[in-house]
Structures are given as C-alpha cells and as structure tokens.
Amino acid sequence: MALPASNLNFNNHPNNDTSEEDEDWELLLDLESTLSRNPNNNSIQLILDNLEDFNQINQNYSVNNQSTTHLSNLLSTSNTNNTQNNDSEVLSKSDIQSLLNINDDYNVSLICPICNKSLFNNDSNAHSSILDPNIQSCCEKFFKKINKISSYKISYWFYFLNNHYKTITTFPNLTKSFFYSINGIPSQLRSKIWGLILGGSDKFGNLKNKWFQDLFNNLNDDNSPYLRIIINDLNRIFPNLHYFNNELNDGQLNLKKILNAYSIYDSEIGYCQGLPFLISILLFHFKNNSITFLSLTKIFENNKNKNFKKIFDKKMTGLSLWFYQFDSIFAKFLPDLYNYFDLLKIDSKIFLSQWFLSFFAVSCPFQILIKLFDLMILEGFQPTIFKISLIILKKNENLLLNIDNEDIEVIYQHLLSENIWGVFNNDLNLILNDLINIDNNLISFQALEDLEIEFNKKNVSIKEENKTINNNTNTSNTSTSGGYYESPFVKFFRYGFTNTVYNQVPAKNQNKPHTQSTDSITESSVDSNFDAYSVSSHSSNSSNSIKRYHQKSVSSVNNNNFNVNININGKHQLMSTLNSSNTSIITGPEPNNLNSFDNSLEYNEMFGSLPQPNLLKVGNNGHQKSSSVFSVNSSFSTVSLNPSTPTNFYEVKQKMKKQFKLKEMELKNQIESLDSKVQIFEQIIHDDKQLIKKLFKLYLKSSKDVDESKITEKQRIKEYKVLKEVQQRIQI
Amino acid sequence: MSAPRSSIASDTPRFAQFKLVLLGESAVGKSSIVHRFVKDQFDEFRESTIGAAFLTQTVLLPNNITIKFEIWDTAGQERYKSLAPMYYRNANCAIIVYDITQESSLEKAKQWVKELQRQANQDIIIALAGNKLDLAESDPSTRKIKKEDAFTYSREENLLFFEVSAKTGEGVKNIFQSIAKKLPIDDFKPASSNANLRNSRHNLGVDLSRSSINQSSCNC
C-alpha cells in the first residue's frame, strides 16, 4: 500500500523502554521530521486551519520552530485548554494504557487490515468483545496485536490528550498519519479525541462547559415544535446498530433529548433530516447528551463551518453555494467525467444533495463512516465532505464513463446507492490512500472562500445578463413577472445558474472592491432598520451603479412583519410599473431574518425573488456599509433599472409613497368612523344610566308609598309599567 | 424478431419507460412502498431518505407490454420541498402518499397535488395512496382519515386512489399496475427497437451489500 503513513513503520521502530518523557518527545519529533520530508507535507494545512478555528486562536504558531520544546513546556502551557480545574492534572501514561485496555463498543470500528473485514458482527458483540466464532486467523492475530499498542503510539496519544492543540501543531504530519491510517486512532480513545478537537469535553472526557448541562436540561423542559417529526425519525437512524435499534435503548432516548434541545436552541436550523446522522455518530461515541450537544454547537459556531450550518437551515440556503463550489472543484479535478456529465445533462445536485446532507451515512458502511468522521472532525466538515465526494467520483469514473449514453438513470442509480463504495471493495486503506493524495490546495479553506466570492459575483453578473436579455428580447423575466414566486432553490434547480441565486456575502469580504462597478453614488446613511434600494445601471461599455439606502421613512411601520408585507405589496406595484419599461426587479426579504416572518408569509411570496447582498455594497467611494447590516433584523428590496430611465426609480419611489399615503388615509378614515361609532355607543350608555337612576328614584319613592299603603290601583299599574321598562332597557 | 411489424398487433412485445416520483409528508412510508414494490421487502425501521433515492422496476401488462418505472423516492421533510422540482420535473406519473393514521398527512398530500398540477407535466398521472392500512385494520381506532373523504377528494381532483399497506404488501402492486394502464399507450415502442431494456439490466458489476458490517467471515 502506498499510504504515506506507512513511512512510519510502527512495529520496526526500536522499542523505547525509557521512561523519560522528554526522550519520547524527541522521538516523536524525529518521526515528525521524517514525515515532513514527504512531498505531501503541504497537505497538513487543512488540519492547522481547522484547528486554529476550533480553538479560536490567532497565534501564528510556527510548526518548524518546535525542536526544542520539552515536555515540561508542553504540560505547563494551558493556553488552549480552558479546562477550569483540570489544568494542573495530567493524564499519565498508565492512565492511557488502562484506557486502551477497556473493551467497549467502539470496537465496532475495528477492521482487520489484512482482509478488511469488520472484527465484530454487530455493536453489541463489539461491546462485550465477543469475537465471531468463525473469525479468520488474520483477524484474531490482529485483534491480539492491537491490544498491545506500541509504546510511542501511547506517547503520542499521551501528549495529544494532555494538550492536543500543541501536539497537533508540533506534529502535524504525525497527526495526519495517525488519522489517515486504519486503526490509527485507538478506538477506545476516539471519543476523547473527538471531544478535545471539537471542544465538547476535556481530556478526562468530562463536559467542558459545566453550565451546558443546565442549559441542556432547561431546553428539554420544553417540547420543540419539531418533536412529532423527531419522534417519527428516531427509529430511522442507524437501525442496524444495537444502540439505536430499540425505542427503549439509551440511544433513541438520548437522541430524542438532543434533537429536541437543539431544535429549540437553534431556531435557524430547528430540525433537519440528515442532521441526526451527525448527532447520532457523536452520541454513539460520547455516550453523553451534554457533551454531544456542546460539540454540536461548537461545530456550527465555528467560523470555518459557517456554510456547513447553512445547508441545514430552513431554506437550505447554503446548499446552492456548496453545489457551485463543488462543481468548480469537480471540473478541475476530474475534467473528463465532468464534461461527460455535462454532455448527458446529468444533474450533479441530485446525488450531491444526498451525499452532503447525510454525511454519506445513507450509503456508507458504518465502520468506514466512523473513519471518515475522524477526518471531518480533524480537517473540517466541508473540505472533507468535498474530498470524499471527489474520490468517490474518481474511483467510479471508469465505470461511469463506460455506461451507454442513454442510460442516465443507471448513473443516477449507481451514485445514489451503496454501490459507490463497491469500487473500494470495502477497503478502507484504498479510501484513505485516495483521500490523502488529493491536492489539498483544491479544497483548502482559502480556495473555498475564493469560490464563494466568485459565486456571489457570478450571481450579480447573471442578474445583469438577465436584465440585458430582458432588454433585448423585450420579454419579461419569468421569475419576476410570473404569477407566483419560487424559492431561490426551486429556481436554482429549475434553471441552474441562468437565474439569480441568493447567497450571502461573507462579512469579511464586504471590504473587497467590486469588480464591475466603477462609479457609485451613495445616498444617506444606513440605519439598523432600513429599506435599501439599489439601482445598478448597465450599458455595453461601462457599468455604473447607484446605490441608495433609503432610511425607513414611514415612522408608523416598526413591526418587521408589517414591513415585509409592505415590501411585497410594493413589489407587485413595482412590477406593474417596471415591466413596461423593460427592467427587472429583484426584491426580497433579508435572508438572515427569515425566521421572524416565516409564519406570516406564504413560502413563495417570501422568496419572490432574490436579494443580492452584493448590490448593497457601496463601491469605491470609501463609504463602506458595515457588515452588521447582515445581522440586523431588517428587510430590504433591491431594484435594478435601466440606465436610460434613471428617473423611473424616483417615479417608483413616488408611487410607493403615494400608495403608503393612500393606505394611511384609508386607515385614518376607518379609525374616524370607528371613533364616531364609539361615541354613539357611549351616548347610549350614558342615556341608559340616566334613565336607570331616574327609575330607581321613582322606585324608592313608590316603595315608600307601598309601605304607607297609600297606593292606588292606578299607581300600581304605573309602577309596574316603569319596572317593565327598566327590565327591557337592561336587557337591551 | 418473428413478431409481425405491420400494425401494432395485440401480441407485439412493446416497451416503454416512465418516470415516476413519490411525494408526501415525512414518515408516511414512501420508501417502504417503493421497497415493497421493487424488492418485495419490508423493513420495520428504514433510514429516513435524504435528498432522494432512485430505483427501477418493470411491470408486465397484458398484451406483451413491458413498462419500466424509474422511481424517484423523495425526502418528505418540509424543508426538502425546494429540492422536489428536480425530481418531479418531466415525471410522467406521481404517487402522493399519506398516512391514514396521521391527520396532517392528507393536508400535505393535497398541497403536493396542487403543486404538481401547477408545475409538473401537464398530463402527469397522479395517484393518491393512503398507507399503513395494516394499522387501521388491526386497530380501527388508529384510523384518522376516512376512506370516503380521501376518495371524494381524489374524485374531485381526478386522481387514482388507493389504500395500501407497505407492511403487508396489500394494494401496493395495484397502484403501479393501475398507473401503468393509464399511461399513454401510443408512446410504446416495439421492444426490439429499444435498447433501454437491455441496458437497464446493465449492472455496473459491483454489488456491495450494506450488510458488510455484519459480515462475519473473512476470506483471506
């Protein structure tokens, strides 16, 4: 096997009997320097990038200046591990040795490297370490061997558990070789390793932020609106695993609590089918609700994973970006297959949506999946998911290219089924080998970010293109003039990139100059609650853009929901105005704010068309809009107009103002009429009160008369009538 | 081929391929219906569908007609709705599934009918299928949607209507057979002229079973 990690022949290494920890450290450094001479050493960048972000540390930690680091240094520095009480305590080697001797159901991930078969039938056997009676000799030998882990492997994990940050940055190549080799991570330590990297637990496997326990419990006091669907799904997550296959088992009970808590905690995502695969794999290892919950939040909080979170949100807004990024990388990585798919009009989104949203859990054998998760956790989710997708396509390339042209559905069927893993013949080594050999520059965080910028720019240019088409053909754009509105996603799938697709510009890119726009005019400041109109003009030679931020002028409109409604009403009106002058309009609510009006609007209306955050950016005149605009609760409209009719914008604005005024008048009239009615009723009530007072006096007088027995028959009748009237009056 | 080619005789082998899409609320049993139809299997616990799954199955009609269904089995959760057009685009027929023990699922099914009538192929054949009949049969109190109500609705909207059980298999084949009979027969081509049937047998030569985790023996 050509795995670079095999440069490290663990078994032939002179067994280091010395108990001097510094010597172990030196030994690991030697190994590291051997590995770093490997031509693949640029590929550690993903690990370091990802790690840096997970720990939110901006130190420029140089990997090359580590040769003099000693154990004493290592263990005394607690810069990254924010464990409150445990900093001074250190896991000893014997602790780790004893940890390694624990047999538990993490064994389920053990695979014999010789025959590539899983050592245990199922997770319950793995839990009790019951080997299959029919086990082959190679597997049995292997099982005995892994129980005796060579000493420097122990040293490495000893350092790792005590200070994973420093260990990884000091030995990135060694780390990589451990993570990329079969059984490179001792399965007994896996949960601790994941917990440390994700920041969910400390080196002892305890919850890192104690208060999260309370938060978790508090969240579970309520029932999520998603609870019904969560319960429906509980027995549909890894039904082959003993831990999850019974509703009375811990697995399902805990999973329910975590999903319930998380869907309340994170209203942007709520509950999304697909996510339970991630959560259940974490839970299966942590076996602790709060740690799983904390790790999950840390994954999504990580800035590097910002687009990862978005693929699960309510409108799956991040998915179209992922498709774009992946397609670009795919075209570079496997041009033949890419062109072939293009020729057959195969829509890669169809299988990519399954792969991305399920972490391959739908098709991937479980023990391989765990190994893939090691890498996702170490190197970041998006790059690793992309890498895995690429090697699947690469491995299947020959098969796919040799299918008859007409048989598109065979290709789809193949790519959506577990058959994609068949080419690896269930051989984890092959997968890992392919993964480690991918040029990481293709999918580095920087590369992904560049593609994101490109994606956002492309949306702008596509929009301009659409506008040009509209001008030329004198037909109106279906997306803006149709009777109904489609979500950006529906559009994306329907028309691919010919229509505009929303994606949010990352905050840090706000400052980069826009490529196309040369002249920009900015008017008025940006308020935290604003309507923005952007007029971008376009001609054959130059493109000017006029951006205008229109501070909300209608003082009575403070409510977000109301605001959005008005936007949409305004859109209808805008469209009728502008269609006659060959312009396209892009209008829509601000995407960050979707949740707040999710319930108040029809799905289609909400995404009537797409907002273009790029257009909000002010050009070269230095008046930069702050990135906070994207986080405030606001909505905006964007209007693109033809340069020859710039006054249209003002007409539109005037019309909208008129519309508002008319509405205002209408409402005022209504209020007035209501007021007058109220007055009438008050008058009636007043009159009644007067009458009752009168009658009551009369009654008192008459009752006196009764006492004195001086009432005549006539008086009685009169009194009776009066009382009758009182009763009637009261009834009315 | 010995079959007469002059006119479309009743016994001329003919073949046609149609795209079918399954839609409906989450956990109503779309995948289970497909698996009952394609593999004649039922798993009590089936992993939720993410994105979509794709399967094919052929149906033999009288008069030597073979119909191959390309079945797109979609994810049911609301937020996956935006992915659906990708799958129902160009579909010839659709099965919209609801759960007769789940009141909300018929409402959701009606939404799908509306969406298909508005946005899918003009002549799409839509079947409405109420699943989990076995539950209602073993315990009538679990039934939340009356057969008559769903039937009346399907009449109004001109849909095929079935109540089925993917668990027992009751009525499942019937859906596909009935759809097959309604498909436009003019499109059918003589089987000999169409390579698809042969190609559809084309196996990629790989058959990895998901049960690898359960494999006990190794062949080294």
Side-chain angles (χ1 to χ4, degrees):
Chain A
M1 77 173 207
L3 194 71
S6 65
N7 289 357
L8 258 182
N9 199 334
F10 294 135
N11 300 326
N12 291 346
H13 199 277
N15 206 3
N16 199 343
D17 286 329
T18 173
S19 57
E20 291 291 322
E21 282 158 346
D22 280 1
E23 277 184 35
D24 285 352
W25 184 257
E26 294 296 333
L27 174 71
L28 293 179
L29 280 173
D30 285 350
L31 288 169
E32 173 64 23
S33 69
T34 321
L35 287 171
S36 65
R37 284 194 286 273
N38 189 298
N40 269 328
N41 67 348
N42 66 340
S43 54
I44 57 172
Q45 202 52 48
L46 268 179
I47 302 177
L48 298 178
D49 278 355
N50 190 48
L51 186 76
E52 190 181 298
D53 223 87
F54 269 121
N55 290 280
Q56 270 125 37
I57 277 175
N58 296 318
Q59 294 173 356
N60 283 327
Y61 203 89
S62 170
V63 178
N64 299 323
N65 300 332
Q66 293 302 312
S67 51
T68 53
T69 318
H70 285 267
L71 177 66
S72 48
N73 274 341
L74 169 78
L75 297 178
S76 61
T77 46
S78 53
N79 54 343
T80 60
N81 274 345
N82 292 327
T83 46
Q84 295 95 6
N85 311 319
N86 300 326
D87 272 354
S88 51
E89 293 176 46
V90 169
L91 278 176
S92 72
K93 278 193 184 181
S94 57
D95 289 339
I96 290 167
Q97 184 71 60
S98 60
L99 278 173
L100 289 172
N101 287 332
I102 300 168
N103 290 318
D104 52 24
D105 57 359
Y106 309 133
N107 281 338
V108 75
S109 62
L110 287 178
I111 299 164
C112 173
I114 298 157
C115 62
N116 288 307
K117 293 285 186 294
S118 184
L119 289 184
F120 299 97
N121 285 351
N122 55 46
D123 56 318
S124 62
N125 274 0
H127 185 74
S128 44
S129 286
I130 301 171
L131 285 172
D132 195 275
N134 303 322
I135 197 163
Q136 301 285 322
S137 58
C138 65
C139 303
E140 204 172 346
K141 260 187 214 162
F142 168 72
F143 186 66
K144 279 178 186 158
K145 201 170 93 187
I146 54 151
N147 278 327
K148 284 191 241 156
I149 292 184
S150 62
S151 73
Y152 78 84
K153 216 173 169 181
I154 294 173
S155 317
Y156 175 83
W157 292 116
F158 162 68
Y159 291 120
F160 187 98
L161 291 180
N162 280 305
N163 189 338
H164 73 283
Y165 180 78
K166 199 150 195 173
T167 309
I168 292 175
T169 48
T170 313
F171 311 113
N173 291 293
L174 196 57
T175 304
K176 188 159 180 145
S177 74
F178 275 120
F179 274 77
Y180 273 87
S181 60
I182 292 189
N183 305 315
I185 295 182
S187 49
Q188 298 91 331
L189 297 183
R190 181 170 269 119
S191 63
K192 288 199 177 57
I193 293 162
W194 286 11
L196 281 171
I197 300 179
L198 293 177
S201 64
D202 62 18
K203 57 194 163 200
F204 299 102
N206 298 322
L207 182 67
K208 202 161 170 183
N209 295 345
K210 300 290 177 226
W211 60 272
F212 245 78
Q213 176 79 53
D214 298 329
L215 175 67
F216 181 79
N217 291 338
N218 286 340
L219 285 169
N220 261 316
D221 289 343
D222 292 325
N223 282 344
S224 152
Y226 295 92
L227 193 62
R228 189 176 75 86
I229 181 172
I230 287 172
I231 290 172
N232 268 339
D233 282 348
L234 284 178
N235 53 23
R236 309 204 290 163
I237 312 294
F238 295 117
N240 296 328
L241 287 178
H242 176 69
Y243 186 62
F244 291 112
N245 73 0
N246 189 317
E247 60 190 28
L248 300 173
N249 284 6
D250 290 351
Q252 286 196 25
L253 295 174
N254 292 336
L255 194 57
K256 180 181 156 191
K257 281 184 195 160
I258 296 168
L259 290 170
N260 182 57
Y262 194 78
S263 63
I264 298 170
Y265 173 81
D266 186 345
S267 61
E268 273 175 61
I269 291 182
Y271 171 74
C272 180
Q273 281 181 341
L275 208 53
F277 288 110
L278 166 68
I279 298 172
S280 56
I281 287 179
L282 296 178
L283 176 65
F284 182 74
H285 286 87
F286 293 136
K287 294 276 174 4
N288 178 307
N289 293 343
S290 306
I291 295 176
T292 310
F293 183 67
L294 178 58
S295 302
L296 189 68
T297 58
K298 293 253 175 167
I299 289 172
F300 286 132
E301 277 162 18
N302 184 355
N303 190 35
K304 287 268 162 57
N305 285 336
K306 64 183 190 297
N307 292 322
F308 180 53
K309 179 172 178 166
K310 272 193 237 152
I311 69 171
F312 295 107
D313 68 17
K314 281 183 180 151
K315 302 294 166 203
M316 295 179 166
T317 47
L319 208 47
S320 48
L321 169 67
W322 276 45
F323 289 149
Y324 177 78
Q325 288 171 321
F326 185 80
D327 257 17
S328 311
I329 297 165
F330 179 25
K332 277 183 214 155
F333 188 69
L334 299 164
D336 291 347
L337 191 63
Y338 181 83
N339 291 331
Y340 180 68
F341 278 7
D342 204 38
L343 191 75
L344 294 186
K345 297 202 169 62
I346 284 184
D347 194 345
S348 61
K349 301 174 207 77
I350 283 181
F351 52 88
L352 291 179
S353 55
Q354 188 212 64
W355 295 358
F356 291 169
L357 292 166
S358 75
F359 313 88
F360 308 96
V362 169
S363 58
C364 182
F366 191 70
Q367 70 274 33
I368 294 181
L369 196 60
I370 290 178
K371 195 68 213 168
L372 298 180
F373 261 76
D374 287 342
L375 305 178
M376 290 186 209
I377 287 166
L378 181 72
E379 298 192 345
F381 281 85
Q382 193 184 7
T384 314
I385 289 173
F386 276 23
K387 265 166 62 171
I388 298 164
S389 303
L390 287 174
I391 61 144
I392 289 171
L393 288 168
K394 188 186 173 195
K395 272 288 170 193
N396 287 283
E397 188 177 17
N398 277 339
L399 284 169
L400 295 170
L401 287 176
N402 289 319
I403 292 173
D404 205 319
N405 280 5
E406 286 178 54
D407 250 0
I408 295 173
E409 79 270 15
V410 177
I411 293 178
Y412 281 138
Q413 195 166 11
H414 183 72
L415 290 172
L416 284 169
S417 70
E418 64 267 22
N419 290 346
I420 47 173
W421 301 97
V423 278
F424 296 105
N425 201 13
N426 225 355
D427 186 344
L428 196 46
N429 268 328
L430 276 176
I431 298 173
L432 295 171
N433 190 24
D434 281 353
L435 280 174
I436 208 165
N437 283 328
I438 287 187
D439 177 9
N440 273 6
N441 292 327
L442 268 181
I443 21 195
S444 64
F445 286 110
Q446 187 56 48
L448 292 173
E449 203 160 279
D450 290 346
L451 283 170
E452 190 179 343
I453 297 165
E454 203 180 299
F455 173 76
N456 293 323
K457 274 179 194 163
K458 194 153 184 168
N459 287 339
V460 176
S461 64
I462 284 165
K463 196 166 60 180
E464 287 177 350
E465 211 172 87
N466 280 351
K467 189 179 59 193
T468 318
I469 289 165
N470 282 349
N471 287 341
N472 291 342
T473 59
N474 215 355
T475 53
S476 48
N477 191 329
T478 46
S479 69
T480 54
S481 63
Y484 59 88
Y485 305 108
E486 292 176 322
S487 80
F489 223 55
V490 173
K491 273 184 200 159
F492 182 78
F493 289 118
R494 202 172 279 268
Y495 313 110
F497 282 104
T498 58
N499 257 302
T500 48
V501 176
Y502 159 73
N503 195 277
Q504 192 171 332
V505 181
K508 66 157 51 159
N509 296 330
Q510 295 287 319
N511 295 331
K512 296 188 180 171
H514 196 287
T515 45
Q516 290 288 320
S517 62
T518 48
D519 299 324
S520 308
I521 303 161
T522 311
E523 278 191 32
S524 84
S525 63
V526 183
D527 195 83
S528 66
N529 214 358
F530 68 102
D531 288 344
Y533 301 98
S534 166
V535 182
S536 72
S537 53
H538 180 83
S539 63
S540 54
N541 292 330
S542 68
S543 77
N544 307 323
S545 62
I546 305 163
K547 269 90 189 179
R548 181 189 180 89
Y549 300 105
H550 173 61
Q551 207 158 347
K552 192 180 320 204
S553 54
V554 187
S555 57
S556 62
V557 183
N558 286 325
N559 182 300
N560 257 333
N561 291 348
F562 188 39
N563 187 16
V564 172
N565 285 326
I566 286 168
N567 270 343
I568 282 164
N569 289 338
K571 182 170 61 183
H572 288 298
Q573 200 213 348
L574 283 171
M575 264 158 37
S576 57
T577 322
L578 294 175
N579 280 339
S580 57
S581 54
N582 306 330
T583 48
S584 70
I585 309 146
I586 289 106
T587 311
E590 206 280 315
N592 264 350
N593 194 23
L594 289 179
N595 300 340
S596 64
F597 52 76
D598 218 349
N599 301 324
S600 67
L601 287 175
E602 276 293 308
Y603 172 76
N604 283 330
E605 281 182 330
M606 203 155 60
F607 274 96
S609 304
L610 309 158
Q612 283 299 321
N614 267 0
L615 285 182
L616 285 170
K617 188 160 58 59
V618 176
N620 298 339
N621 65 352
H623 188 99
Q624 296 288 351
K625 186 170 68 65
S626 84
S627 61
S628 68
V629 165
F630 288 91
S631 59
V632 297
N633 276 352
S634 61
S635 62
F636 64 82
S637 315
T638 312
V639 185
S640 304
L641 292 177
N642 191 303
S644 59
T645 57
T647 47
N648 266 2
F649 172 71
Y650 298 101
E651 282 174 24
V652 170
K653 200 179 147 194
Q654 289 302 322
K655 282 228 168 190
M656 284 187 77
K657 272 190 175 173
K658 269 186 188 171
Q659 186 85 352
F660 281 131
K661 278 195 175 161
L662 279 175
K663 280 225 161 175
E664 218 174 321
M665 294 278 276
E666 209 178 292
L667 286 169
K668 272 185 180 171
N669 284 341
Q670 278 184 10
I671 288 167
E672 273 173 16
S673 68
L674 283 172
D675 276 349
S676 59
K677 277 182 185 171
V678 168
Q679 277 179 7
I680 291 167
F681 278 115
E682 275 174 357
Q683 189 61 48
I684 292 170
I685 291 165
H686 181 74
D687 287 352
D688 279 2
K689 277 180 180 170
Q690 292 300 319
L691 187 70
I692 288 167
K693 273 181 187 171
K694 257 186 193 171
L695 290 169
F696 192 60
K697 278 177 187 170
L698 200 71
Y699 174 72
L700 284 177
K701 202 181 166 189
S702 62
S703 58
K704 252 185 189 174
D705 292 348
V706 171
D707 284 346
E708 290 166 12
S709 320
K710 283 177 185 172
I711 9 152
T712 61
E713 200 65 18
K714 252 187 179 178
Q715 273 174 326
R716 276 178 183 271
I717 292 165
K718 200 178 169 187
E719 196 184 307
Y720 179 73
K721 275 182 183 168
V722 169
L723 278 169
K724 218 34 184 189
E725 209 185 329
V726 170
Q727 276 174 356
Q728 276 174 0
R729 224 33 216 243
I730 286 165
Q731 272 176 5
I732 290 165
Chain B
M1 191 124 213
S2 61
R5 293 187 54 114
S6 52
S7 64
I8 303 182
S10 60
D11 58 345
T12 310
R14 278 170 291 162
F15 172 84
Q17 190 163 331
F18 292 100
K19 181 173 174 183
L20 185 149
V21 62
L22 274 99
L23 299 163
E25 203 187 32
S26 179
V28 294
K30 296 179 290 297
S31 304
S32 294
I33 288 177
V34 175
H35 274 255
R36 174 57 78 188
F37 174 59
V38 174
K39 298 182 176 163
D40 204 16
Q41 287 172 353
F42 178 77
D43 300 324
E44 192 73 41
F45 307 116
R46 159 162 289 294
E47 278 172 15
S48 43
T49 309
I50 307 298
F54 182 69
L55 293 148
T56 57
Q57 175 70 309
T58 50
V59 169
L60 291 170
L61 289 181
N63 300 340
N64 247 345
I65 297 170
T66 308
I67 288 179
K68 182 176 165 194
F69 282 114
E70 295 170 29
I71 304 165
W72 286 97
D73 172 22
T74 63
Q77 202 192 348
E78 182 68 29
R79 68 188 64 190
Y80 281 84
K81 200 180 169 185
S82 51
L83 293 164
M86 196 158 76
Y87 304 108
Y88 68 63
R89 186 171 44 202
N90 300 324
N92 307 92
C93 34
I95 301 176
I96 294 173
V97 185
Y98 69 94
D99 175 356
I100 61 172
T101 65
Q102 193 62 252
E103 208 158 358
S104 64
S105 65
L106 184 62
E107 285 312 305
K108 185 76 205 168
K110 288 179 181 174
Q111 286 174 30
W112 279 118
V113 172
K114 253 183 220 164
E115 178 162 346
L116 286 184
Q117 286 171 342
R118 202 177 55 187
Q119 294 186 37
N121 274 2
Q122 289 273 307
D123 46 2
I124 189 167
I125 294 163
I126 304 175
L128 183 69
N131 191 26
K132 309 196 183 174
L133 188 58
D134 53 291
L135 293 177
E137 276 172 355
S138 61
D139 177 8
S141 68
T142 56
R143 180 189 276 272
K144 294 278 152 42
I145 293 168
K146 284 186 199 154
K147 189 170 182 178
E148 303 85 67
D149 294 352
F151 181 70
T152 317
Y153 168 73
S154 63
R155 271 290 176 82
E156 283 164 10
E157 299 292 335
N158 199 16
L159 317 172
L160 295 169
F161 174 71
F162 309 89
E163 280 197 346
V164 302
S165 163
K167 191 171 183 176
T168 63
E170 184 181 348
V172 172
K173 271 198 181 138
N174 191 23
I175 311 176
F176 292 87
Q177 291 277 357
S178 306
I179 291 174
K181 281 176 199 158
K182 269 196 101 179
L183 287 164
I185 196 145
D186 297 345
D187 293 358
F188 290 22
K189 298 162 193 160
S192 53
S193 70
N194 195 306
N196 275 329
L197 187 59
R198 182 168 35 83
N199 289 339
S200 66
R201 301 272 156 73
H202 185 114
N203 192 327
L204 288 173
V206 177
D207 190 19
L208 172 82
S209 76
R210 185 73 208 279
S211 60
S212 55
I213 192 169
N214 295 332
Q215 271 172 344
S216 51
S217 61
C218 70
N219 313 314
C220 52

